[in-house]
Amino acid sequence: MRRGWWLVRWLGTGMAILSLLTHSWGQDTEECKLSRPGPPATIVTIDEESPNGTVLVGNMQINGRPQDPGRTISLLLLDNYDYWVILDPTRQRLYLNSTGRVLDRDPPNSITTIVVQIQCTNELVGTIILHEVRIVVRDKNDNTPRFQQPRYYVAVNELTPVGTTIFTGFAGNNGATDIDDGPNGHIEYSILYNPNDPASNGTVSVANTLSGHITLAERLNYEERTRYLVLVQANDRAPYPPNRRTATTTLTVDVLDGDDLGPMFLPCVLVNNTRDCNPITYHVAIPEFTEPSKLNPLNVTPSIRAVDMDRNIQPPSDRPGIHYFILVGHPNTYPEYFSLNRTTAELHVLQPISRDVYQRFTLIIKAEQDNGHPLPAYADLIIEILDENNQAPYFQFATYQGYVSESSPVGTTISASANLTAPLGVIALDNDIEELDPGETPTKDPMVKITLNDYTTIFGLTPTGLIRYLRLLKPVDREKQMTYTFTMVSSDGVQQSIPVTVNILVLDANDNTPTFPEVSYSVEVFTDMQQGETVLQLTAADADEGLNGLVTYEILAGAQGDFIINNRTGRITVAPGVTLTVGRSYALTVKASDNAPETQRRSSITTVYIEVLPPNNQSPPRFPLFTYSLEVSEAMRIGAILLNLQATDRENDPITYRIVSGDSQKVFNLSETIGLLLLDQPLDRETTDKYRLIVTASDGNPGGTSTTTVNIVVTDVNDNDPKFNITTPTNFTVQEEQADLFIGEVTATDPDAGPNGQVRYRIVNHPDLFTISENGSIYTRVPLDRELRSQYSLVVEASDGAVDPRRTSLTLSIQVTDIDDNSPMFSQQTYVVNVPENSPVGTVVLKLSAVDSDLISNVTYRIKTESAQQLFSLNPITGELAVLQTLDFENLAAMGMGAFYTFQVEAVDQGGVMPPGQATVTVRITDMNDFSPIFVQDLYKGLVAPNAEKGTVITTVLAEDQDPPGTPASFVRYRVDLDRSPYSGSIFDVEEVSGRVITKVNLNEEPSVTFKLFVIAFDDGEPVKTNSTLVEITVLQPSRIPIFTQEEYKFSPVSELAPFGKRVGTILAAAVNQTIFYSIVAGNELGHFQVNNRTGVISTAKPLDYENVTSYVLRVQADSMVVVMSNLRAPSKTNTAKVFIEVLDENDHPPVFTRKLYIGGVTEDTKIFSSVLKIVATDKDTGNYSAMAYRLIIPPTPEGQDSFVIETYTGIIKSAMMFRNMRRSYFKFEVIATDDYGIGLSSSAEVVVSVVNALDMQVVVSTVPPTLVEEKKEELIRILERHVQDQIPGAKVIVEAIGPRRHGDGFELEDYSKTDLMVYAIDPLTNRAISRQELFKFLDGNVLDINKEFQPHLGEGGRILEIRSPDIVASVKKAAQAVGYTEGALLALAIIIILCCIPAILIVMVTYKQFKERQAECAKTARIQMALPPGGKAPPAAAPSANLYEELGDNSILQAKKSVVKEADHQRIFSTFACRSLAARSNGELHVNLPKSESNVTFYSDRNPLTTHNPVYDNSPIGSPHAERRFSFSPSHSAALGCNWTMPARIHGGLHSYEAPRRQVLMDPTTWELQILRAAMNGGRGTESSDALDISGSTETKMSVREQARQFEQPTLLEQPLRQSRESLGSFSSVLVRDRDSDEILELTSDTLFSIMDYPYSPTSGGRDVPPSIIISQGEEQWPLASQRPTPPVLRESSSSISSYMTVQPCQIMVELIPDPPDIPPPLPPRRPQPPSPPTSPPSSPPPSPPSVSFLPEPRYSPPSPPPPPPPPPPPPPHHKPRAPPPPPPLPSPPSPASVHSRPVVQFVPTSLPPVSMLRPVSERKHPRPLDPAQADVGTKRELKGILKNIQNLAEIERSIANLYSQVDKNCKAPKFTKKPPVTEESEGANKLQSSDPRHEQSTPKTTSSSSAVQINPATSVNCTEDGTSQPSVAAEAQRSSQLNSNSPSDLSENFSSQSTVL
């Protein structure tokens, strides 16, 4: 053994040296190579303008060491262009060297790529490798686009259609350029908002952002605006929008006037200051029976006149003329009486008119341009027929009084009474319509027009109806104006009524608050004042009237009962019975309120401060007020009483009143005795507008005079007219063709005050042409045209602002001065003249005429077109156009000039500045028809059948004309010459154009008759020329006409893929003695078919195409060969037939997708199987050949999951995964469409689906409901998509959602009358969503155009309200804003939390330290508990005392590792659990997950799983609901071995029946022998499974953990002698098994034993089901669940007694059969198994296996009959009463050597633990006889060492330690011995043997099949070694299987001896 060991060591050393040499050589060869994978070249990128020292390559990743010491490679930089790169060889790093310079990618440097070589030299072998580094310089957006021009200009006619490209000036290099590269250098254009011209950016748009083409976005209107300043921005396309650079320029767009407006009648009444005119009505009245000569032309008021509203069409010659027409009229006979001149618009009467017949003519006249413009103007013309009884309209009342409240809203009807109950009705009558008697009620509406002369902006009258009503147009204020007076006039169109007056009284509304003049008042009173004496007179003013203006006073507080106030007058007096006290003061709060209703009442307050003073002996008279104020109208009459100034005197002395000052003119008179102030002289406000009178009252005593002030304001009366300044000029001049041009200024003044003196101006007679400002400045409203009118008499009116204003007018003369603003105008814009060819030179063909409307002009003529100057001459003075050379029609046609020649002529104003007038002259050269038609043949012959039908074609004639093609003279037509062939012409005819001769009627002629038909050919020239020919028609013999066998032939369909010559069918005709010639005469114009002329076989001649033609109808004809040879044919009813051919469709067209690229989108929250987009492919084929089947080709994903799926037959792509957090990503895949439901032809298209979310979307809010938007979705999206594609070609707009409009602060409100359309767009270049901001710009910038295109789909009123961001974006912004508001609070909260956490952290640290200390104490306590003896009395103290921890090998906490190693012996006691778990798993038994815990032991049965604690840990059970059912250990009564385990054995199934895996079975001797007998009787018969029987569970007596630990230690103490005895014996021939209960001994030979083990248990043979499995597991892996069936009752009865069988051999036996390996072996068990989880559902039972034959001795008794299988478990028998188990005996002492050689009865050791349901309680077992104490001590005593020998009360110490442990934290476990790999019980036994045998200590680690092996798998075994690892051994398993299959008993016994395992 030692020699072999050294050999292994030397071989290992040699292999290590060889490996080291190989590695050294490989390392030398790997130097200088790249350590990274991938391409050999290193490619990096760097931004231009990067700073010096920028790292280009962080590490070249070259193998080797480039620095000393130990350098293996050296690096050198080569090809370093311009020294841009620096190499750091030690770090293998490259840097940028840009010192003093800039790395610029742009011109002129243009550094785009830097390529260098890194030379690596291998210092070990000398090889050199070059590594290329390519540095790509990325462009940086550091250059701004630059426009090549400072400004750009374009002129556009206003008639240019919207969408027309009006400017392409940015194309080429004329626009903006950017020298950057890539997107940074790509220019895109956009329109910016121009604050100086806000309308410009909506007028035009950028059609293509890349080319900068500008298109017209809105219709131009020259009349509204003539110039736009468009701000154009050019920006580059940097990927990150904030980095984009921009440049701007201005594009000036001048609008040219176009002919877009029609004429308008003058005078024009503008509509609301627009350029639109109200329809005007012209009036004329003529007396009846008056001769037309006396009336014509009729005097129409105003004169009929219309002008073109396009005033500035250039040149002026292009301006159209106006034509007038009477369009329609009533009555319809108006054309008999009136006519309108077309050009002058003069109206003429044609004959006298009787009024008895016609009272009125209503005509509608039309004015339209002479160029055919489609916008005419219309006006009404009313012609009244007057008679002597003609009367004017009149009103029913002379005056009208109306009332309206000042609080009335706009639209209120004026009432007729003050209570506002009845409306004011205005009735105008006309006796011409209805003459009424007095008191009669009118019934007819006179249809008069009622107009107001003033206040038209405040009041309006309903326009129609018999009763008209006045309505309020603007709010009124009674305090500003109380009454409105105006007049009304009614007119019937001819005469007007007498004006009537309307007075509107404005009723008061309580809209004013009573107001005190002062905020507070101070007054002094005296103690001697009497009650009722006035203290103060208060007055509050309220502008309202009536109760609303009636003020009531009251004292709210402060009077203290001493003062009272008159609630009407406001006079404060001393209260009755009050005596005032000196020194007191009062503060009175006085309230003034009006008397409106309570809800409308208004009020105000003031404070009156009163101080009481001592009395005066002589008090002067006192005025009630210190100051009096009043207003007096300047129209006040003389003698009127103005004021009562009476004062009071306490002494009642007489008082004298005087005016001291303020009345120097003696205007007022004051009564000296009574104090009345009177008006003595007239007032004139314009002279003096206010007076301040000082009035005194004196009682004649000294100091008895008091003074008051009277303020008198003279109010104005409108008694002065406005007066124009006499120096104002009245003659003005103004230049034509300019609007808003200042003409002059007039000034008028009015001395009145207020509104009466405010002067206003207005234009009376020409308000449409002139305007006047508030200061009297006169301007032109529109451009004047001197050519239309050169002088205006302008009436200017000045009026004041009174209610009834006074007016003054002034007439001004305005002369319009001429400018050169008209170009000469030809009399016609287009001249057309016919000139015969060959006309002589100098022939005048046309005279032109042009006129210039300007005052000074000199018109000359010239030809503008140069080519026409060679053919024609134009006299510049007279305008005569003459021919310069002879014109020949044919020559002109030959030269390609044609018969028409069009050129331009001009009329030039010599000395003028306007462009010349132009006209178009078209000279038509007329052909003279030089040639006559000529027939190709002189004689035509034809044959016809005797019975030919009408329309049968006989022959065709042809004539040719040599006149130029295309001219009328060359067009030939045909007709029959009826004069020369009258009879033939009645039978035959010739088609006029084609010349085909046909039958005119159905023939019935005799054969062989010949008809002569003369045909004439004629042309359309001038003059018409003709020619004639003769056609001879012969009637054919019937015998020469073949007859078809069928009139119609229908053949089988022919495939469209039929080859050429494919036979279709055969036609057949018959004739007597004739050779038949077949031909196709119709229906085969394309030549697809051909017919064999002789056989009649029709076949294909060209490829057919079902998609173009699906069927053919051929007309075939059969003729006699004789007729055919004569070049003639004779069609008839019998020799023609129809052939119907149907084309059969084939799959010859592949599917065609509607687009090559489909773009779709999904949101991040899209659910699985949501529709994304629909793929549509079409196929020209039909039927199944056009039925598609779609499939996707998606690149594989790392997860192996398809992202999308497609519905096979609908083409709808649906999502197949979630897209969370995948925004800005996209999926690109291919879709295949295959026709014929997937088996035909295929085509493919690409699909791109981009992932978006709400941040990429915009919401288009429209004014229509969602249902309409859903219905029109496709049309609306196409419109939006078109506008987005204008900016990003190919972009796709996708609808995300359509719903009601959401609004409100949180968008929580819904409006179903409007729609939110949420869309986003995908850019096909990036396959990602366009940013929300760009999408908003594309849509919102074109919202006007989009609305115009939406209109036809959304209906009237449907439009886009707004384009906004989605709800979530607004919510996020709001939330972000809210977060911003609370940042300070959050920061403060975070600081508080940190401060609070510091003490908590300290507490946790201290607690953790205490926990570790307690945990260490727990470990010590547990080790003490396990080290103590299991029970019994303490041995005598023989050894000296020692430290308990020293005995256990644990001196301190720091020696924990050492203690674990030493205490592994205790762990080995329980290490068999792990190996049992492995063995159970490897047999495919039940495995269920349980809570994983190293302190748990799980026992499983079919029904009652049990989880109990490992005894090495604590006593507290956890886990299963049956935790109280613990396994138990019975004390043994063997004298030799002491205690034994009461756990049943595990017997596996046979080797030949692996299909039904066997379970552990429990048998007593009787049943064992019975099974042997049954096996012998049944032989090899198969068995079947029976139903599961009931299991009666039994409950074991609960034992403490300490007791269980003692019993687990007993087999371990027995291992060593047992193993020694087994090794000494080697094999055995028989086994003695003794029953503990009956003391019976059964001797079994090895053959018998192994036949039992080999026998596969058959539930059927025994009448029982498969017994349950017993599993102890701590693993983690999930194993397949095996079948579970209940335990048979016969086994349950004796399940507890099997543990008492004991052999007499000195060895231990494991009964374990290894089944055959399966086809697919189960997985290997884990190295460190953990507890499994509980089972979820039991699996089905496997099929039964056939038994094997065994020969066993006859049993001693027959087995009992099995009971029936009840489903529920039966209760335990009543006579079984559980009893407490006996106390466990002390541990036995080791056996003596003598006992080893004897034949003791040894324990039959099981391989696994049984379930609780199968173990019989201890109390129910048969108890053996008491053992002899002497025998009990044999082999059971154990020598204790150290301090344990001296412990007297060991049991009490154990209990104390257990109690102490239970008080420690329950979660604190003892040190887990599995920190080392688990030690199996077998390895424990091996170690025991090693300790006694040194030789075995060396051999044990190498063996795999000895006592340390545990069988775990049918195909492999696991070696549970001392280190706890599991090693598979297939060879050992195979060897064992072969031995077990052997029939030799000796081989079996030998194998068993060497392979058995103690568990």
Side-chain angles (χ1 to χ4, degrees), residues 1504 1506 1522-1528 1592-1599 1695-1696 1770-1773 1776-1781 1811-1821:
N1504 298 309
L1506 171 66
H1522 306 286
E1524 71 278 0
R1525 301 180 181 179
R1526 296 180 176 270
F1527 60 90
S1528 63
S1592 60
S1594 61
T1595 305
E1596 292 287 352
T1597 304
K1598 182 176 180 180
M1599 301 178 65
S1695 61
S1696 61
H1776 289 166
K1777 295 182 181 180
R1779 293 192 302 271
V1812 176
S1813 60
M1814 297 181 59
L1815 299 179
R1816 188 166 54 183
V1818 177
S1819 59
E1820 299 178 5
R1821 299 175 182 169

Side-chain angles (χ1 to χ4, degrees), residues 1235-1288:
D1235 58 18
D1236 199 5
Y1237 290 104
I1239 62 175
L1241 304 178
S1242 300
S1243 294
S1244 64
E1246 289 187 349
V1247 180
V1248 172
V1249 180
S1250 182
V1251 182
V1252 302
N1253 63 13
L1255 299 178
D1256 302 315
M1257 302 180 188
Q1258 288 290 347
V1259 179
V1260 180
V1261 184
S1262 57
T1263 60
V1264 296
T1267 54
L1268 180 58
V1269 175
E1270 185 72 36
E1271 180 182 352
K1272 302 291 184 179
K1273 179 177 69 175
E1274 297 299 330
E1275 293 83 354
L1276 303 183
I1277 291 303
R1278 278 197 294 269
I1279 295 172
L1280 297 178
E1281 197 169 72
R1282 184 164 59 253
H1283 286 274
V1284 175
Q1285 289 176 352
D1286 290 343
Q1287 308 299 324
I1288 301 180

